[in-house]
Amino acid sequence: MNEPSTWCLEGYVDDKRQVWRTLVHKVPFQVGRRADSDLVLPFGRVSHKHAELFQRRNGLCLRDMGSTNGTFLNGQKVVNECQLKDGDIVHFADHEFRLVIFSALQQPSATQTIRLDEHHLPSRNFDRVRDLRNMLLGGGVRAAFQPVVHLSDGEIMGYEVLGRGQLAGIDTPPPELFFLAEAQNLELELSAAFRNKGAEDAAVLTGKPAIFVNTHPAELTHSDALYASLVELRNRHPKLSLILEIHESAVADLSALQTLRSRLEKLDIGIAFDDFGTGQARLLELTDVAPQFVKFDRMWVKNLHRATRRRLDMVATLVNMVTNMGIETIAEGIECQEEADACREIGFVYAQGYHFGRPSPVAIFADEQLHNA
């Protein structure tokens, strides 16, 4: 007689690069964005009812539920139902999970989603690292552009470049790409590849929009390598108006940041502090380094039009303080006109967010420029 067994899905269920184990505690077991799913994946590319695990006489099976972005088993798109086995890799859209089977003696005691240690990766990690290296060597990275607009009239003043990539032909979220890259000490190379691709694509835009390119936190502790990559970038694209985004959490060493600022001035590259306010408010660094831009995190502007007077006054005070230093302010994550209006009224100059445009290939914006010319 066969031992009873329990199936688990191990993978990322949030945006924090933490691996979790979820027991398949019943069948059918539904996966999707809906709050009543057995495994809830709150991501835009995951459909409300995405896929289902179910039981046949010969074992556990998988089927797609008509999802928009597909379900994949070991890299192959699921068209009909597929039988599952221990160690299979399943992608729900671009979110990867490993299937693990536990015997009665091995069964974990938890009956719900639990966090695993961060060193646990899906079993095809070796293959995915190989795919990551191939992506970097083969120039397989892509860039998405999100507009930054003037709040006064909605005109585009620039774009933030967001890196994208595929592993084994499947779109893979940037946090997962960087998680794999960090395990192989490739995070600096990946970050530079995203910047290079963004600058290359931006060359088709007319005028001289600001091009905001990102950094990885580790690059701030390897400033010589960062600077060398930016020298190369500037040499290839001498006419681009480049702004280097530095996440607030990476702004720690004031003297190193001042040195970087001085070096960037020689390259005619500006600085933007990103996600301002998510951790410590880096007020001293704002005073002594004086970036060209400060991007206020979404937490400051979400539902700002419904905020209490006290909250409005607090945000307005911060915006005015930054503005009085001669620094331009950008409100991130604007999702509706009401939020945009509230940001404009309290003094924000620029904004970005889904309300003004989702991250898209540069060709879309180049076509718009051509149409409006």
Side-chain angles (χ1 to χ4, degrees), residues 316-363:
T317 297
L318 283 172
V319 171
N320 290 335
M321 179 194 67
V322 172
T323 301
N324 290 337
M325 294 180 187
I327 303 169
E328 302 281 14
T329 56
I330 302 173
E332 292 187 294
I334 303 295
E335 295 187 352
C336 63
Q337 186 61 48
E338 292 80 4
E339 287 179 347
D341 291 341
C343 286
R344 185 185 66 252
E345 289 171 5
I346 66 171
F348 278 106
V349 178
Y350 303 109
Q352 72 179 97
Y354 286 175
H355 178 64
F356 303 108
R358 291 176 177 268
S360 303
V362 71

Side-chain angles (χ1 to χ4, degrees), residues 191-366:
S191 184
F194 283 154
R195 285 194 298 270
N196 293 338
K197 178 58 176 173
E200 177 186 328
D201 286 1
V204 304
L205 295 167
T206 59
K208 199 171 183 180
I211 304 299
F212 293 81
V213 294
N214 285 285
T215 54
H216 185 278
E219 291 183 289
L220 275 297
T221 60
H222 296 81
S223 57
D224 287 342
L226 172 61
Y227 180 65
S229 76
L230 293 171
V231 169
E232 184 180 349
L233 184 66
R234 174 51 82 201
N235 289 339
R236 285 203 304 268
H237 306 281
K239 296 182 179 180
L240 284 184
S241 178
L242 293 170
I243 309 294
L244 187 71
E245 293 199 17
I246 299 174
H247 193 278
E248 185 190 70
S249 64
V251 180
D253 188 332
L254 182 56
S255 62
L257 197 57
Q258 288 172 321
T259 300
L260 178 62
R261 167 65 189 265
S262 177
R263 289 173 130 187
L264 292 182
E265 284 180 349
K266 297 175 183 178
L267 297 177
D268 191 26
I269 296 177
I271 290 180
F273 283 180
D274 188 25
D275 292 335
F276 180 73
T278 55
Q280 303 177 41
R282 303 290 183 176
L283 303 181
L284 178 61
E285 288 79 358
L286 284 178
T287 302
D288 290 352
V289 178
Q292 283 76 20
F293 298 90
V294 167
K295 302 180 79 171
F296 280 69
D297 186 75
R298 165 74 177 150
M299 61 173 282
W300 293 105
V301 303
K302 183 177 181 180
N303 294 322
L304 194 60
H305 56 294
R306 299 174 183 161
T308 63
R309 173 49 55 186
R310 179 176 296 180
R311 181 184 168 205
L312 284 169
D313 289 344
M314 179 185 66
V315 179
T317 297
L318 283 172
V319 171
N320 290 335
M321 179 194 67
V322 172
T323 301
N324 290 337
M325 294 180 187
I327 303 169
E328 302 281 14
T329 56
I330 302 173
E332 292 187 294
I334 303 295
E335 295 187 352
C336 63
Q337 186 61 48
E338 292 80 4
E339 287 179 347
D341 291 341
C343 286
R344 185 185 66 252
E345 289 171 5
I346 66 171
F348 278 106
V349 178
Y350 303 109
Q352 72 179 97
Y354 286 175
H355 178 64
F356 303 108
R358 291 176 177 268
S360 303
V362 71
I364 291 177
F365 301 107

Side-chain angles (χ1 to χ4, degrees), residues 59-75:
L60 192 67
C61 296
L62 171 71
R63 61 179 160 226
D64 185 77
M65 302 291 286
S67 68
T68 301
N69 294 301
T71 302
F72 302 82
L73 176 61
N74 298 323

Side-chain angles (χ1 to χ4, degrees), residues 128-242:
R128 285 164 62 79
V129 169
R130 180 197 60 199
D131 293 337
L132 176 68
R133 290 181 180 275
N134 290 340
M135 183 186 77
L136 291 171
L137 291 172
V141 299
R142 295 177 289 108
F145 285 63
Q146 186 172 36
V148 180
V149 306
H150 293 268
L151 274 171
S152 59
D153 56 14
E155 290 295 312
I156 294 176
M157 61 79 68
Y159 303 87
E160 180 179 354
V161 176
L162 301 164
R164 298 290 186 263
Q166 291 186 334
L167 297 182
I170 299 172
D171 289 340
T172 305
E176 292 189 30
L177 293 175
F178 274 109
F179 190 45
L180 289 169
E182 288 161 7
Q184 300 296 313
N185 295 318
L186 292 172
E187 63 269 33
L188 306 186
E189 187 174 346
L190 179 59
S191 184
F194 283 154
R195 285 194 298 270
N196 293 338
K197 178 58 176 173
E200 177 186 328
D201 286 1
V204 304
L205 295 167
T206 59
K208 199 171 183 180
I211 304 299
F212 293 81
V213 294
N214 285 285
T215 54
H216 185 278
E219 291 183 289
L220 275 297
T221 60
H222 296 81
S223 57
D224 287 342
L226 172 61
Y227 180 65
S229 76
L230 293 171
V231 169
E232 184 180 349
L233 184 66
R234 174 51 82 201
N235 289 339
R236 285 203 304 268
H237 306 281
K239 296 182 179 180
L240 284 184
S241 178
L242 293 170

